[in-house]
Amino acid sequence: MIKHDRTSGGKKIEVLKDRYQSRFMSPRTSAHRIVRKRFVPFNYLSARYDGFTVTEPSFGSDLTHAHNRIPLGTGRLIVSFESHLPRQFGLAPDGALVELMMKRLRSRTCRRIIGMSHFAKRLFLDQHQDLDPEMFEILSSKLMVRHPNVDVRDTPDPYDLDSDDGPLRLVFVGGHFARKGGCVAVRVAELARERGLPVHVTIISSMVMGEAVWTDPIDPDVLAPYATGLDAPNVTHLEGQPNQVVRQIMGQSHFSLLPTFADTFGFSAIESMAEYTPVIATKTGALPEFITDTANGIMLDIETTDAGEWAGLNFSARGTKAYADRFVSTIDDLAEQTLRRIEPYLDNRQALVPLRAAARQTAETMFDARQASANWDTIYDRVIAEDMSQQAQLDPLIDVSSPDGWPGPASHKT
């Protein structure tokens, strides 16, 4: 894994040190001195306090880059985010904490608000649409999009068409088993056994599900049968694995599965593409921004809201039978779609070759950490040079992403 704290030159950039997401939303190498900084995780006191933090005093720092959490005591700042900002779940919208976070976002010290997708940007604009027009303009004038990045290694495709005579191999990766689509993966394996189809599913998951996950039915009996399905002969279940092992398994699979009910992005999808593996995913969240059906992956139909979220999500109804029934029926529908869509590849492995090439091209064009690192450095340089007595003014040639994401996936269509 590439580490951040590699260089000693340039400006001092403090990136708040979370355990996962900021790795995808900051430079993996830099011309600047990147310092991974600890912060106070107030969410340990209550999940309601997930949206803000404080850090130890900064000495000699030129810029702080926070992700999801809004630091309340730093100087020059940019904030990247995955969905809503500020994160105020469970807080009174007119309460003091929300106003404190909003004041920080509106301030001139906050120079950029950076969504990790156009999906995130839509959610942000929808979240703040009822603000006073002047306040809305201040926030939206700082708003831009930068997609996450992954290590795209300079390696050839490990897939060998000539020696491929085994079952079609699918891999699912996700700690939140039901939310990410693990139940769908188990159901696909079950349907394949019933119909005598050569399909093997590898599931890499710590199996977190149920009441602790905001999308899942609360009744444990609803999801229990899918955990039992992990013992099936055409299913391999692995728990925690090093990232390099996970990515090796991805590269050896024919498809990566992400039939998710709710994802702000889907990092396993872009890691799979970096390993040449096309992704089978639902048309939710940011996934349609980089997966084009039959070009570099397969998109499964699912009912969504205008923002792109699964229409069945209803946090307050998770304990009801109606919600559980809809969740299970959606699992069945997605599994049937998946099996129907992969059947043509059972006897025609040659058709996988262009999908694999296009998946890799997507990773190289959109998500390569080397290019992303240079882009982050450009943003850092611009923000550090700006006069903080003036509101931020985005440069449309550098700061503003295309409203349609990128043209890459569509260019693979024939």
Side-chain angles (χ1 to χ4, degrees), residues 13-16 25-26 63-67 77-78 80 376 380:
I13 314 295
E14 295 185 334
V15 178
L16 298 196
M25 286 298 292
S26 59
L63 175 67
T64 297
H65 178 177
H67 183 72
L77 171 71
I78 66 173
S80 53
W376 280 114
Y380 293 163

Side-chain angles (χ1 to χ4, degrees), residues 170-193:
L170 312 179
V171 59
F172 165 81
V173 180
H176 282 188
F177 178 70
R179 174 175 72 86
K180 294 274 189 176
C183 299
V184 178
V186 168
R187 182 67 175 141
V188 167
E190 182 180 22
L191 292 173
R193 291 195 308 275

